[in-house]
Tab-separated table of all heavy atoms in Angstrom:
chain	number	residue	atom	x	y	z
H	1	LEU	N	0.817	-1.206	0.000
H	1	LEU	CA	0.000	0.000	0.000
H	1	LEU	C	0.855	1.261	0.000
H	1	LEU	O	1.904	1.327	0.640
H	1	LEU	CB	-0.881	-0.015	1.256
H	1	LEU	CG	-1.800	1.164	1.523
H	1	LEU	CD1	-2.972	1.143	0.551
H	1	LEU	CD2	-2.301	1.120	2.962
H	2	SER	N	0.388	2.267	-0.732
H	2	SER	CA	0.949	3.602	-0.626
H	2	SER	C	-0.181	4.607	-0.849
H	2	SER	O	-1.341	4.221	-1.021
H	2	SER	CB	2.077	3.819	-1.632
H	2	SER	OG	2.729	5.058	-1.386
H	3	PHE	N	0.182	5.890	-0.836
H	3	PHE	CA	-0.822	6.948	-0.929
H	3	PHE	C	-0.549	7.863	-2.119
H	3	PHE	O	0.584	8.082	-2.518
H	3	PHE	CB	-0.840	7.791	0.348
H	3	PHE	CG	-1.152	7.000	1.588
H	3	PHE	CD1	-0.243	6.944	2.635
H	3	PHE	CD2	-2.350	6.319	1.708
H	3	PHE	CE1	-0.522	6.221	3.779
H	3	PHE	CE2	-2.643	5.586	2.840
H	3	PHE	CZ	-1.722	5.544	3.887
H	4	ALA	N	-1.616	8.407	-2.657
H	4	ALA	CA	-1.560	9.435	-3.681
H	4	ALA	C	-2.863	10.204	-3.581
H	4	ALA	O	-3.736	9.869	-2.777
H	4	ALA	CB	-1.376	8.814	-5.075
H	5	GLY	N	-3.022	11.233	-4.378
H	5	GLY	CA	-4.305	11.926	-4.412
H	5	GLY	C	-4.304	13.314	-3.819
H	5	GLY	O	-5.323	14.013	-3.884
H	6	ALA	N	-3.173	13.765	-3.246
H	6	ALA	CA	-3.141	15.123	-2.698
H	6	ALA	C	-3.041	16.162	-3.813
H	6	ALA	O	-3.312	17.335	-3.588
H	6	ALA	CB	-1.967	15.278	-1.735
H	7	GLY	N	-2.655	15.698	-5.002
H	7	GLY	CA	-2.525	16.617	-6.131
H	7	GLY	C	-1.125	17.184	-6.218
H	7	GLY	O	-0.303	17.046	-5.313
H	8	THR	N	-0.847	17.836	-7.322
H	8	THR	CA	0.483	18.372	-7.570
H	8	THR	C	0.792	19.582	-6.703
H	8	THR	O	1.853	19.675	-6.082
H	8	THR	CB	0.623	18.742	-9.057
H	8	THR	OG1	0.451	17.565	-9.850
H	8	THR	CG2	1.987	19.358	-9.351
H	9	HIS	N	-0.131	20.527	-6.619
H	9	HIS	CA	0.122	21.752	-5.882
H	9	HIS	C	-0.041	21.588	-4.374
H	9	HIS	O	0.383	22.453	-3.605
H	9	HIS	CB	-0.805	22.862	-6.390
H	9	HIS	CG	-0.505	23.299	-7.784
H	9	HIS	ND1	-0.953	22.612	-8.890
H	9	HIS	CD2	0.234	24.340	-8.258
H	9	HIS	CE1	-0.518	23.217	-9.983
H	9	HIS	NE2	0.200	24.263	-9.626
H	10	GLN	N	-0.652	20.478	-3.944
H	10	GLN	CA	-0.837	20.227	-2.514
H	10	GLN	C	-0.181	18.913	-2.092
H	10	GLN	O	-0.564	18.333	-1.074
H	10	GLN	CB	-2.336	20.176	-2.191
H	10	GLN	CG	-3.124	21.415	-2.572
H	10	GLN	CD	-2.738	22.645	-1.751
H	10	GLN	OE1	-2.252	22.506	-0.628
H	10	GLN	NE2	-2.946	23.829	-2.292
H	11	ALA	N	0.807	18.466	-2.834
H	11	ALA	CA	1.424	17.167	-2.549
H	11	ALA	C	1.960	17.096	-1.127
H	11	ALA	O	1.953	16.033	-0.503
H	11	ALA	CB	2.547	16.894	-3.551
H	12	ARG	N	2.400	18.223	-0.586
H	12	ARG	CA	2.978	18.242	0.758
H	12	ARG	C	1.968	17.857	1.833
H	12	ARG	O	2.346	17.546	2.967
H	12	ARG	CB	3.549	19.624	1.056
H	12	ARG	CG	2.497	20.726	1.085
H	12	ARG	CD	3.153	22.106	1.075
H	12	ARG	NE	2.168	23.167	1.157
H	12	ARG	CZ	1.469	23.619	0.130
H	12	ARG	NH1	1.637	23.071	-1.066
H	12	ARG	NH2	0.606	24.594	0.279
H	13	LYS	N	0.673	17.866	1.504
H	13	LYS	CA	-0.350	17.511	2.487
H	13	LYS	C	-0.620	16.010	2.550
H	13	LYS	O	-1.457	15.559	3.328
H	13	LYS	CB	-1.651	18.259	2.179
H	13	LYS	CG	-1.516	19.770	2.347
H	13	LYS	CD	-2.857	20.487	2.200
H	13	LYS	CE	-2.695	21.984	2.469
H	13	LYS	NZ	-3.986	22.705	2.357
H	14	LEU	N	0.118	15.256	1.753
H	14	LEU	CA	-0.127	13.811	1.713
H	14	LEU	C	0.164	13.157	3.061
H	14	LEU	O	-0.472	12.171	3.430
H	14	LEU	CB	0.723	13.168	0.611
H	14	LEU	CG	0.353	11.739	0.202
H	14	LEU	CD1	-1.069	11.686	-0.321
H	14	LEU	CD2	1.316	11.221	-0.852
H	15	ARG	N	1.102	13.686	3.829
H	15	ARG	CA	1.388	13.082	5.125
H	15	ARG	C	0.219	13.272	6.101
H	15	ARG	O	-0.025	12.422	6.958
H	15	ARG	CB	2.692	13.609	5.712
H	15	ARG	CG	2.742	15.081	6.019
H	15	ARG	CD	4.184	15.482	6.401
H	15	ARG	NE	4.313	16.908	6.624
H	15	ARG	CZ	4.200	17.490	7.812
H	15	ARG	NH1	3.927	16.764	8.879
H	15	ARG	NH2	4.357	18.786	7.937
H	16	GLN	N	-0.498	14.394	5.971
H	16	GLN	CA	-1.690	14.588	6.806
H	16	GLN	C	-2.775	13.591	6.394
H	16	GLN	O	-3.502	13.063	7.242
H	16	GLN	CB	-2.197	16.021	6.662
H	16	GLN	CG	-1.209	17.054	7.184
H	16	GLN	CD	-1.580	18.464	6.778
H	16	GLN	OE1	-1.727	18.751	5.582
H	16	GLN	NE2	-1.722	19.343	7.740
H	17	MET	N	-2.866	13.321	5.099
H	17	MET	CA	-3.828	12.335	4.618
H	17	MET	C	-3.476	10.944	5.130
H	17	MET	O	-4.345	10.166	5.525
H	17	MET	CB	-3.872	12.378	3.095
H	17	MET	CG	-4.396	13.711	2.552
H	17	MET	SD	-4.062	13.963	0.785
H	17	MET	CE	-5.104	12.711	0.063
H	18	ALA	N	-2.165	10.646	5.155
H	18	ALA	CA	-1.726	9.367	5.703
H	18	ALA	C	-2.100	9.262	7.174
H	18	ALA	O	-2.466	8.189	7.668
H	18	ALA	CB	-0.220	9.220	5.527
H	19	GLY	N	-2.004	10.376	7.881
H	19	GLY	CA	-2.408	10.394	9.279
H	19	GLY	C	-3.874	10.046	9.460
H	19	GLY	O	-4.253	9.391	10.447
H	20	ASN	N	-4.701	10.447	8.514
H	20	ASN	CA	-6.121	10.079	8.568
H	20	ASN	C	-6.304	8.579	8.377
H	20	ASN	O	-7.186	7.975	8.989
H	20	ASN	CB	-6.908	10.860	7.510
H	20	ASN	CG	-7.267	12.256	7.965
H	20	ASN	OD1	-8.318	12.495	8.527
H	20	ASN	ND2	-6.364	13.180	7.728
H	21	ALA	N	-5.489	7.973	7.522
H	21	ALA	CA	-5.565	6.518	7.344
H	21	ALA	C	-5.203	5.813	8.644
H	21	ALA	O	-5.834	4.815	9.026
H	21	ALA	CB	-4.635	6.072	6.211
H	22	VAL	N	-4.185	6.332	9.347
H	22	VAL	CA	-3.790	5.753	10.630
H	22	VAL	C	-4.903	5.925	11.663
H	22	VAL	O	-5.212	5.017	12.435
H	22	VAL	CB	-2.470	6.386	11.117
H	22	VAL	CG1	-2.150	5.960	12.544
H	22	VAL	CG2	-1.326	5.998	10.181
H	23	SER	N	-5.549	7.096	11.653
H	23	SER	CA	-6.632	7.322	12.613
H	23	SER	C	-7.842	6.445	12.324
H	23	SER	O	-8.707	6.278	13.179
H	23	SER	CB	-7.047	8.801	12.615
H	23	SER	OG	-7.710	9.147	11.407
H	24	ASN	N	-7.881	5.860	11.127
H	24	ASN	CA	-8.992	4.973	10.763
H	24	ASN	C	-8.541	3.513	10.685
H	24	ASN	O	-9.091	2.733	9.909
H	24	ASN	CB	-9.618	5.420	9.442
H	24	ASN	CG	-10.503	6.637	9.615
H	24	ASN	OD1	-11.660	6.529	10.013
H	24	ASN	ND2	-9.959	7.813	9.327
H	25	GLY	N	-7.547	3.161	11.492
H	25	GLY	CA	-7.229	1.753	11.681
H	25	GLY	C	-5.945	1.238	11.087
H	25	GLY	O	-5.534	0.107	11.381
H	26	LEU	N	-5.274	2.001	10.214
H	26	LEU	CA	-4.008	1.544	9.646
H	26	LEU	C	-2.925	1.655	10.714
H	26	LEU	O	-2.760	2.716	11.321
H	26	LEU	CB	-3.626	2.397	8.428
H	26	LEU	CG	-2.347	1.984	7.685
H	26	LEU	CD1	-2.532	0.654	6.982
H	26	LEU	CD2	-1.938	3.072	6.681
H	27	PRO	N	-2.171	0.597	11.005
H	27	PRO	CA	-1.095	0.693	11.994
H	27	PRO	C	-0.106	1.802	11.642
H	27	PRO	O	0.197	2.029	10.470
H	27	PRO	CB	-0.426	-0.684	11.934
H	27	PRO	CG	-1.507	-1.599	11.442
H	27	PRO	CD	-2.306	-0.781	10.468
H	28	TYR	N	0.407	2.469	12.677
H	28	TYR	CA	1.288	3.617	12.468
H	28	TYR	C	2.479	3.266	11.590
H	28	TYR	O	2.797	3.981	10.635
H	28	TYR	CB	1.775	4.147	13.820
H	28	TYR	CG	2.648	5.371	13.718
H	28	TYR	CD1	2.102	6.649	13.745
H	28	TYR	CD2	4.036	5.267	13.570
H	28	TYR	CE1	2.893	7.775	13.648
H	28	TYR	CE2	4.843	6.384	13.470
H	28	TYR	CZ	4.267	7.643	13.511
H	28	TYR	OH	5.062	8.754	13.398
H	29	GLU	N	3.161	2.163	11.890
H	29	GLU	CA	4.344	1.793	11.118
H	29	GLU	C	3.983	1.464	9.676
H	29	GLU	O	4.774	1.698	8.759
H	29	GLU	CB	5.070	0.628	11.787
H	29	GLU	CG	5.838	1.016	13.040
H	29	GLU	CD	6.898	2.067	12.767
H	29	GLU	OE1	7.673	1.906	11.805
H	29	GLU	OE2	6.950	3.063	13.514
H	30	ALA	N	2.782	0.907	9.459
H	30	ALA	CA	2.334	0.628	8.095
H	30	ALA	C	2.089	1.932	7.345
H	30	ALA	O	2.360	2.042	6.142
H	30	ALA	CB	1.071	-0.224	8.109
H	31	GLY	N	1.570	2.934	8.055
H	31	GLY	CA	1.363	4.242	7.437
H	31	GLY	C	2.675	4.884	7.058
H	31	GLY	O	2.810	5.476	5.979
H	32	LEU	N	3.680	4.767	7.937
H	32	LEU	CA	4.995	5.322	7.649
H	32	LEU	C	5.664	4.571	6.505
H	32	LEU	O	6.304	5.174	5.632
H	32	LEU	CB	5.867	5.282	8.900
H	32	LEU	CG	7.179	6.051	8.860
H	32	LEU	CD1	6.939	7.507	8.496
H	32	LEU	CD2	7.893	5.957	10.201
H	33	ALA	N	5.488	3.250	6.473
H	33	ALA	CA	6.031	2.457	5.364
H	33	ALA	C	5.406	2.877	4.045
H	33	ALA	O	6.079	2.915	3.000
H	33	ALA	CB	5.795	0.971	5.618
H	34	ALA	N	4.114	3.191	4.074
H	34	ALA	CA	3.404	3.597	2.855
H	34	ALA	C	3.927	4.915	2.296
H	34	ALA	O	3.714	5.223	1.118
H	34	ALA	CB	1.906	3.707	3.134
H	35	MET	N	4.626	5.691	3.136
H	35	MET	CA	5.189	6.964	2.696
H	35	MET	C	6.672	6.856	2.343
H	35	MET	O	7.259	7.806	1.829
H	35	MET	CB	5.027	8.008	3.816
H	35	MET	CG	3.597	8.288	4.207
H	35	MET	SD	2.687	9.131	2.909
H	35	MET	CE	3.442	10.746	2.984
H	36	THR	N	7.295	5.706	2.643
H	36	THR	CA	8.747	5.595	2.487
H	36	THR	C	9.155	4.366	1.680
H	36	THR	O	9.353	4.434	0.480
H	36	THR	CB	9.419	5.573	3.876
H	36	THR	OG1	8.832	4.523	4.680
H	36	THR	CG2	9.246	6.906	4.596
H	37	VAL	N	9.221	3.208	2.347
H	37	VAL	CA	9.780	2.026	1.702
H	37	VAL	C	8.799	1.360	0.743
H	37	VAL	O	9.211	0.813	-0.294
H	37	VAL	CB	10.287	1.022	2.770
H	37	VAL	CG1	9.143	0.441	3.577
H	37	VAL	CG2	11.127	-0.075	2.133
H	38	SER	N	7.497	1.391	1.039
H	38	SER	CA	6.534	0.692	0.173
H	38	SER	C	6.496	1.240	-1.252
H	38	SER	O	6.511	0.455	-2.209
H	38	SER	CB	5.138	0.714	0.804
H	38	SER	OG	5.117	-0.081	1.973
H	39	PRO	N	6.441	2.569	-1.465
H	39	PRO	CA	6.464	3.046	-2.857
H	39	PRO	C	7.763	2.727	-3.584
H	39	PRO	O	7.760	2.560	-4.807
H	39	PRO	CB	6.244	4.558	-2.718
H	39	PRO	CG	6.555	4.876	-1.305
H	39	PRO	CD	6.213	3.662	-0.520
H	40	VAL	N	8.867	2.622	-2.838
H	40	VAL	CA	10.136	2.198	-3.447
H	40	VAL	C	9.999	0.781	-3.993
H	40	VAL	O	10.447	0.473	-5.103
H	40	VAL	CB	11.282	2.281	-2.420
H	40	VAL	CG1	12.530	1.576	-2.938
H	40	VAL	CG2	11.601	3.735	-2.101
H	41	VAL	N	9.360	-0.086	-3.204
H	41	VAL	CA	9.125	-1.465	-3.648
H	41	VAL	C	8.152	-1.486	-4.814
H	41	VAL	O	8.361	-2.195	-5.815
H	41	VAL	CB	8.582	-2.312	-2.476
H	41	VAL	CG1	8.154	-3.686	-2.960
H	41	VAL	CG2	9.635	-2.443	-1.387
H	42	ILE	N	7.076	-0.721	-4.706
H	42	ILE	CA	6.037	-0.707	-5.746
H	42	ILE	C	6.619	-0.332	-7.105
H	42	ILE	O	6.296	-0.940	-8.130
H	42	ILE	CB	4.904	0.261	-5.348
H	42	ILE	CG1	4.103	-0.319	-4.184
H	42	ILE	CG2	3.986	0.553	-6.539
H	42	ILE	CD1	3.104	0.653	-3.571
H	43	PHE	N	7.497	0.675	-7.119
H	43	PHE	CA	8.035	1.157	-8.389
H	43	PHE	C	9.445	0.611	-8.665
H	43	PHE	O	10.132	1.111	-9.558
H	43	PHE	CB	8.025	2.679	-8.420
H	43	PHE	CG	6.628	3.249	-8.438
H	43	PHE	CD1	6.122	3.924	-7.343
H	43	PHE	CD2	5.794	3.065	-9.531
H	43	PHE	CE1	4.830	4.426	-7.345
H	43	PHE	CE2	4.504	3.562	-9.553
H	43	PHE	CZ	4.017	4.249	-8.451
H	44	ALA	N	9.839	-0.429	-7.919
H	44	ALA	CA	11.076	-1.180	-8.177
H	44	ALA	C	12.290	-0.270	-8.310
H	44	ALA	O	13.030	-0.325	-9.296
H	44	ALA	CB	10.904	-2.036	-9.436
H	45	LEU	N	12.521	0.551	-7.280
H	45	LEU	CA	13.625	1.510	-7.323
H	45	LEU	C	14.913	0.979	-6.716
H	45	LEU	O	15.906	1.702	-6.646
H	45	LEU	CB	13.205	2.807	-6.617
H	45	LEU	CG	11.963	3.496	-7.165
H	45	LEU	CD1	11.757	4.838	-6.487
H	45	LEU	CD2	12.021	3.665	-8.680
H	46	GLY	N	14.901	-0.254	-6.235
H	46	GLY	CA	16.119	-0.854	-5.707
H	46	GLY	C	16.103	-0.964	-4.194
H	46	GLY	O	15.306	-0.323	-3.503
H	47	GLU	N	17.019	-1.756	-3.669
H	47	GLU	CA	17.061	-2.027	-2.235
H	47	GLU	C	17.819	-0.969	-1.446
H	47	GLU	O	17.901	-1.049	-0.216
H	47	GLU	CB	17.694	-3.405	-1.993
H	47	GLU	CG	16.881	-4.557	-2.581
H	47	GLU	CD	17.504	-5.904	-2.289
H	47	GLU	OE1	18.617	-5.929	-1.714
H	47	GLU	OE2	16.879	-6.927	-2.639
H	48	ASP	N	18.385	0.025	-2.121
H	48	ASP	CA	19.174	1.032	-1.418
H	48	ASP	C	18.408	2.334	-1.212
H	48	ASP	O	18.996	3.383	-0.939
H	48	ASP	CB	20.485	1.307	-2.162
H	48	ASP	CG	20.274	1.829	-3.578
H	48	ASP	OD1	19.121	1.806	-4.062
H	48	ASP	OD2	21.269	2.251	-4.206
């Protein structure tokens, strides 16, 4: 899982949106992974 949808001009608000996912049951570490390591895996950017 990862997040998108904040738009180009408001992309910086995506972390607040992720916080809403956590407040609705997503584990905190899973929310943080969705903003960091998970999109790296999704788009095959490498292990580094």
Side-chain angles (χ1 to χ4, degrees):
L1 178 73
S2 188
F3 300 120
T8 299
H9 292 82
Q10 303 293 335
R12 64 193 182 279
K13 294 187 176 181
L14 194 60
R15 63 188 176 93
Q16 296 168 304
M17 295 165 68
N20 278 268
V22 171
S23 70
N24 284 278
L26 183 68
Y28 182 90
E29 286 301 312
L32 191 55
M35 299 292 289
T36 54
V37 67
S38 292
V40 168
V41 172
I42 289 171
F43 293 110
L45 302 187
E47 296 182 355
D48 60 350

